[in-house]
Amino acid sequence: MIVQITQTRNELYLIKEMLPLWQKYADGFIFLDDCSHDGTSEFLESHKDEYNILSVLKTDSPGAATYSESDGRQRLFDEALKHSGNIICMDSDEYLDGTMQKDQLEHVMETNPDTLIYLRWIQYAGDNKIRVDGPWRENYKDRIGSYSKPTKFKDATMHAEHIPHPGKHGVIGVPDLFIAHLQWLDKPTVAVKQYFWKVVDFVNNKKYGIETTPASAYDESVANFDWEYEDFSFPLKVRSDIYSTQDLQESYKYKFIKESIQQYDIPNLNDWGMEIHDSK
């Protein structure tokens, strides 16, 4: 049995699209709902039988630095381990794809106990187009692990590991298996998301004294939206305009940005000329 763990917040529109895709490799699901107010928990609870949703966990309170991200991921992992030692982790904007079948992946996990498996992180920018500039050409992430015993995450307030390291590691390459990542499909959504993390880090540092990721790291990831692309042989499995269905100004990320700017007198941290910081 393969169990998938996912932490989410106000991403029901993505989850509805992803669940059928996630079933290609996962037999059951554990979710951590981080204080969503878009009906996420209610939807998951009402579809438990359809998708074999094993647990829907919840956080106590939303917001920057109210809890350690690694603690939330630890809760997910510990709950999944009650059902299986074969665990995969997907964010709401990710799914697995490739030529490998579920039974083949499960065989790999069963024959490689206590192993963290890295996969290439494919950055879709269209139906058959991926982003390949800078670090995005060859980027591998921890999303699959086999475990024979409880394993702890490294402590992290933000940007924690997705699954803990059990001692050994391996790699599965393209075309066998890869992570399809949707982040770069819509540039305005990218801008709000990455600027949100800049503001979160600013608030965490100012309010709590937490050491955070420098704003320049987000600038490097965005690369001023001047991206290099390549064709990719695996077509995107969701609609490429999926983010256009959402009102960005009504998103919790946008609202957090605007409220924090006023509350903490935050200067423009470089919003790439997208008028996120100074818009009315």
Side-chain angles (χ1 to χ4, degrees), residues 69 158-159 183 192-202 213 218 252-253 257:
E69 185 176 275
M158 307 295 290
H159 311 301
Q183 174 168 297
V192 168
K193 179 180 179 179
Q194 298 299 80
Y195 200 75
F196 165 80
W197 286 118
K198 285 188 180 186
V199 172
V200 167
D201 286 343
F202 184 98
T213 303
Y218 301 105
Y252 81 89
K253 291 184 176 73
I257 290 169

Side-chain angles (χ1 to χ4, degrees), residues 2-280:
I2 299 176
V3 176
Q4 176 178 314
I5 57 177
T6 295
Q7 182 170 339
T8 187
R9 184 177 179 193
N10 289 335
E11 296 170 313
L12 181 57
Y13 71 102
L14 289 176
I15 289 172
K16 288 179 177 179
E17 297 287 330
M18 293 299 194
L19 271 165
L21 300 179
W22 287 337
Q23 285 184 306
K24 180 179 178 181
Y25 294 104
D27 299 296
F29 299 91
I30 310 287
F31 286 92
L32 176 61
D33 181 9
D34 184 13
C35 298
S36 297
H37 52 72
D38 63 350
T40 292
S41 289
E42 294 81 358
F43 175 85
L44 295 174
E45 292 286 355
S46 65
H47 288 77
K48 275 189 169 181
D49 292 339
E50 181 179 354
Y51 294 110
N52 195 28
I53 297 171
L54 304 169
S55 297
V56 181
L57 310 176
K58 296 182 180 180
T59 56
D60 294 328
S61 60
T66 55
Y67 65 94
S68 166
E69 185 176 275
S70 55
D71 288 348
R73 294 201 181 275
Q74 189 73 58
R75 287 180 64 200
L76 277 167
F77 174 83
D78 291 346
E79 187 69 20
L81 197 60
K82 296 176 183 178
H83 301 274
S84 175
N86 299 327
I87 298 173
I88 61 179
C89 179
M90 290 287 109
D91 287 341
S92 300
D93 62 353
E94 298 172 339
Y95 63 89
L96 293 178
D97 201 1
T99 60
M100 183 176 286
Q101 301 301 307
K102 183 191 291 183
D103 59 343
Q104 294 175 303
L105 175 58
E106 191 164 14
H107 176 74
V108 169
M109 299 170 85
E110 295 287 356
T111 55
N112 292 274
D114 295 310
T115 301
L116 184 64
I117 299 173
Y118 290 85
L119 305 173
R120 189 175 167 196
W121 205 24
I122 297 294
Q123 311 297 319
Y124 278 91
D127 290 321
N128 293 90
K129 183 172 66 174
I130 64 173
R131 184 181 171 192
V132 294
D133 55 286
W136 306 111
R137 179 175 291 275
E138 292 288 339
N139 201 313
Y140 288 81
K141 291 298 180 184
D142 57 329
R143 296 292 188 272
I144 295 176
S146 62
Y147 301 87
S148 64
K149 57 185 180 298
T151 308
K152 295 297 183 183
F153 282 78
K154 295 178 181 177
D155 290 335
T157 302
M158 307 295 290
H159 311 301
E161 302 166 300
H162 278 62
I163 49 179
H165 203 302
K168 296 177 290 185
H169 69 271
V171 176
I172 298 176
V174 177
D176 295 332
L177 197 63
F178 61 88
I179 306 157
H181 190 207
L182 311 186
Q183 174 168 297
W184 310 106
L185 284 174
D186 183 75
K187 290 184 176 181
T189 302
V190 167
V192 168
K193 179 180 179 179
Q194 298 299 80
Y195 200 75
F196 165 80
W197 286 118
K198 285 188 180 186
V199 172
V200 167
D201 286 343
F202 184 98
V203 172
N204 280 342
N205 180 261
K206 183 171 184 176
K207 188 174 181 180
Y208 301 101
I210 295 170
E211 185 177 346
T212 58
T213 303
S216 59
Y218 301 105
D219 292 330
E220 291 172 9
S221 74
V222 171
N224 206 29
F225 297 99
D226 184 16
W227 302 342
E228 180 183 349
Y229 306 102
E230 280 186 2
D231 294 335
F232 193 59
S233 58
F234 288 84
L236 182 67
K237 289 188 174 178
V238 299
R239 50 185 289 189
S240 59
D241 64 346
I242 188 169
Y243 289 109
S244 68
T245 65
Q246 305 302 301
D247 184 346
L248 267 178
Q249 293 190 353
E250 290 300 314
S251 69
Y252 81 89
K253 291 184 176 73
Y254 186 86
K255 289 179 178 179
F256 179 84
I257 290 169
K258 306 310 289 186
E259 291 167 2
S260 298
I261 287 170
Q262 184 174 8
Q263 183 175 357
Y264 297 102
D265 192 26
I266 301 174
N268 192 316
L269 304 173
N270 180 22
D271 63 3
W272 311 289
M274 299 289 279
E275 298 185 347
I276 302 167
H277 192 94
D278 300 315
S279 64
K280 303 299 182 184

